[in-house]
Amino acid sequence: MVQPVVFCFFNQAVLDPDWPRLTEERIAAIMDRILDQLTRPWEGGSLREEAAGVWQGEEYLRRARHAASILTRFSANADFRIVGTEMEFGTPEGMPPLVLSLPDGAEIALQGKIDRLDRYRGPEGDYLRVLDLKSSDKNLDPARMDRGEQLQLMIYLRAAERGLPGAEPAGALYFPIQDREVKSPDPEAAEAQRMKDVQLQGVVLGDPDVLRAMDREGALKFPMLTVNDAKCKHFFDNRYGTGQSVWNGINRTTNLIVAGKDVV
């Protein structure tokens, strides 16, 4: 599992005064210390002595280094900052449990562990973002969410909101930890494809300020358009859309149809 290595990296990297704007050399140095301790027990075992084991070990290390580099880049390109990793709720050492009321009046207290919790203190509010690290592709399915079959991220986000009063939910996202081999003669094209494979996927608050804070450099896998900032919003919708809304309001409140009548 790559996740424990990534968590250990974050716990050390956030102590660096330059975090999150770390150079690749600095990221590599932090990972070298972590992986040196991790791989010591490998000596004399299959991960060092057998060809298949050596390949498996090298693949593990490569994925861990790539995940640390990409997540650091995403952090540097956003205004959200890490609150903590592997944050528990519903335990004595963690945040309060998430209590749910059932239709029969009974209550259940949920506990769990949030892979990573970020916070953004913006001009219009205080926002929370949950990241869940996955070793494979994972997507939120709105239909399954509506049926109550895929609520893990929503539970994490709600628990974080309860644990940090005053903050509003901004998003819940999956981050796939993978480093697929890309065959391309162009190094830049290969890196672009690798970045595409590890972009964040999930749900976010449709607030322009939050979207900018979260996606200044294309961290989200789905495109975002802040409609309120579009010129057509000001040139068309505000002028004609608002006027039409006024007539709709008059028609509803007076129970009259204006068509065919003279209005003064």
Side-chain angles (χ1 to χ4, degrees):
M1 297 292 288
V2 176
Q3 285 94 327
V5 179
V6 176
F7 297 148
C8 187
F9 168 79
F10 279 131
N11 291 336
Q12 295 189 28
V14 294
L15 301 177
D16 192 297
D18 293 328
W19 171 262
R21 292 171 178 78
L22 304 181
T23 63
E24 289 296 328
E25 291 75 15
R26 184 57 184 153
I27 296 172
I30 297 174
M31 288 297 292
D32 285 343
R33 292 198 305 267
I34 296 171
L35 296 177
D36 179 63
Q37 297 179 356
L38 172 70
T39 57
R40 287 177 186 175
W42 294 7
E43 298 299 333
S46 61
L47 293 177
R48 291 299 194 197
E49 303 296 333
E50 300 177 8
V54 171
W55 179 86
Q56 184 179 10
E58 291 300 321
E59 176 70 9
Y60 176 89
L61 299 179
R62 184 170 66 89
R63 290 180 63 189
R65 291 182 181 278
H66 186 245
S69 175
I70 295 300
L71 279 168
T72 301
R73 191 182 309 180
F74 283 163
S75 297
N77 291 333
D79 294 322
F80 281 81
R81 292 295 174 257
I82 298 176
V83 175
T85 59
E86 295 187 288
M87 295 189 66
E88 298 181 349
F89 60 93
T91 62
E93 300 80 14
M95 295 182 291
L98 179 61
V99 179
L100 301 180
S101 299
L102 303 182
D104 61 1
E107 292 185 338
I108 57 174
L110 302 181
Q111 69 177 59
K113 184 183 293 184
I114 302 171
D115 282 353
R116 175 174 149 181
L117 179 61
D118 296 344
R119 192 170 195 167
Y120 166 58
R121 301 178 189 273
E124 299 181 4
D126 194 1
Y127 299 96
L128 298 175
R129 175 179 71 175
V130 166
L131 292 185
D132 194 49
L133 279 58
K134 295 295 182 184
S135 57
S136 60
D137 284 332
K138 185 78 171 181
N139 294 297
L140 281 178
D141 184 343
R144 293 186 62 199
M145 292 175 64
D146 186 58
R147 295 194 300 267
E149 298 175 0
Q150 196 178 29
L151 298 179
Q152 180 189 22
L153 285 182
M154 298 300 100
I155 290 174
Y156 287 170
L157 187 58
R158 186 61 170 170
E161 183 186 6
R162 294 287 182 85
L164 297 173
E168 300 179 44
L173 302 151
Y174 287 120
F175 179 86
I177 301 179
Q178 49 191 340
D179 187 14
R180 296 173 181 165
E181 182 179 358
V182 179
K183 296 181 179 179
S184 173
D186 185 356
E188 293 186 1
E191 180 62 18
Q193 181 59 46
R194 293 172 69 197
M195 287 289 294
K196 183 179 179 180
D197 289 340
V198 295
Q199 287 179 319
L200 305 176
Q201 308 170 46
V203 294
V204 297
L205 182 67
D207 181 278
D209 181 50
V210 173
L211 292 176
R212 294 190 192 95
M214 194 179 298
D215 191 30
R216 284 192 284 117
E217 295 293 338
L220 299 176
K221 194 165 188 175
F222 41 89
M224 286 293 176
L225 174 64
T226 53
V227 177
N228 286 342
D229 292 343
K231 291 184 178 180
C232 64
K233 166 72 174 176
H234 303 286
F235 294 157
F236 179 83
D237 189 47
N238 285 357
R239 177 179 299 177
Y240 302 105
T242 302
Q244 183 61 42
S245 296
V246 171
W247 278 117
N248 289 340
I250 294 173
N251 291 340
R252 286 194 300 268
T253 56
T254 61
N255 198 29
L256 295 175
I257 297 178
V258 179
K261 294 182 173 64
D262 295 328
V263 179
V264 179

